[in-house]
């Protein structure tokens, strides 16, 4: 592969016409805005797409993107473990938009799902508040719920992973319909 491990947004924009761009965010996040021409293959579906991604590398370089660069880096590691070279977009679609580059929003996208980081912050905050409230009203042991979330957040920061995001990604609004993923893989094969 001729691209470095990570591409800056300006470098990726200049090469966009020659790259196969794979967006590993949830379908809802993808619908909220993605790089022009990007195909949506959520991170938890990347292994299913390995043969098609491998085939795409025969035709050119692959760029993997997400919101901030963390999930795309994880996807690149999975691809590398399977002998597929890919680059990630430094800073993800957030950096892309911040640098003034256009995001494509599909027609008919009725509503955008919150980004995964925002979903995690809401879920963690609600769970902490619930644990504290139950600890005050019902029994102090319920405060352990809040402590568990705090420990999970520390672990998440130290390992640069997020178990809560993995669970939230399985919710129906964050999952691709089987037909959508099949269509995406067919489009990837046809490129």
């Amino acid at each position: 592969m001729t691209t470095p491990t990570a591409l800056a947004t300006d470098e990726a924009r200049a090469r966009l016409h020659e790259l196969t761009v794979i967006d590993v965010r949830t379908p809802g996040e993808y619908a909220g805005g993605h790089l022009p021409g990007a195909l949506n293959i959520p991170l938890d579906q990347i292994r299913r797409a390995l043969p098609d991604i491998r085939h795409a590398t025969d035709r050119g370089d692959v760029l993997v993107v997400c919101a901030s660069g963390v999930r795309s880096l994880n996807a690149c590691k999975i691809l590398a473990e399977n002998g597929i070279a890919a680059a990630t977009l430094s800073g993800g679609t957030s950096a892309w938009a911040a640098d003034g580059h256009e995001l494509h929003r599909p027609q008919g996208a009725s509503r955008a799902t919150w980004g995964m980081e925002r979903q995690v912050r809401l879920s963690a905050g609600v769970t902490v508040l619930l644990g504290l409230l139950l600890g005050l009203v019902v029994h102090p042991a319920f405060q352990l719920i809040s402590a568990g979330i705090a420990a999970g957040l520390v672990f998440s920061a130290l390992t640069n992973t997020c178990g809560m995001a993995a669970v939230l990604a399985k919710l129906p609004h964050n999952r691709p319909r089987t037909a959508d993923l099949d269509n995406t893989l067919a489009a990837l094969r046809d490129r």
Side-chain angles (χ1 to χ4, degrees), residues 14 17 20 22 37-38 57-58 71 78 80 83 93 96 105 122 132 144 161 169 176 182-183 188 191:
H17 65 282
T20 298
I22 298 172
T57 61
D58 293 339
R71 284 179 278 178
I78 292 169
T93 55
W96 180 271
R105 289 175 175 78
L122 176 69
L132 292 174
L144 291 174
T161 62
D182 290 341
N183 290 338
L188 182 58
R191 283 193 172 191

Side-chain angles (χ1 to χ4, degrees), residues 22-188:
I22 298 172
D23 191 320
V24 295
R25 296 176 300 158
T26 66
E29 291 175 292
Y30 174 83
H34 56 271
L35 274 67
L39 298 170
N40 185 219
I41 303 173
L43 180 58
D44 64 342
Q45 298 291 314
I46 203 81
R47 291 187 195 286
R48 177 177 171 201
L50 287 173
D52 297 312
I53 297 170
R54 182 174 286 111
H55 181 68
T57 61
D58 293 339
R59 297 183 307 270
D61 293 338
V62 171
L63 177 67
V64 183
V65 301
C66 67
S68 65
V70 174
R71 284 179 278 178
S72 61
L73 187 59
N74 289 336
C76 285
K77 288 177 184 174
I78 292 169
L79 294 174
E81 290 168 2
N82 289 278
I84 302 170
T88 184
L89 179 65
S90 296
T93 55
S94 298
W96 180 271
D99 288 347
H101 303 306
E102 175 188 1
L103 288 175
H104 176 74
R105 289 175 175 78
Q107 291 180 330
S110 58
R111 63 177 175 85
T113 300
W114 282 2
M116 188 55 66
E117 292 177 31
R118 188 174 181 189
Q119 291 180 51
V120 167
R121 288 192 308 265
L122 176 69
S123 299
V126 167
T127 306
V128 166
L129 288 175
L130 181 63
L132 292 174
L133 179 65
L134 289 172
L136 290 172
V137 175
V138 179
H139 190 277
F142 279 105
Q143 292 176 350
L144 291 174
I145 295 170
S146 300
I149 295 296
L153 291 171
V154 170
F155 179 78
S156 175
L158 293 174
T159 62
N160 203 23
T161 62
C162 186
M164 188 177 286
V167 170
L168 291 172
K170 299 200 180 302
L171 293 175
H173 67 275
N174 285 327
R175 307 268 315 146
R177 294 186 308 236
T178 302
D180 291 342
L181 186 57
D182 290 341
N183 290 338
T184 299
L185 296 178
L188 182 58

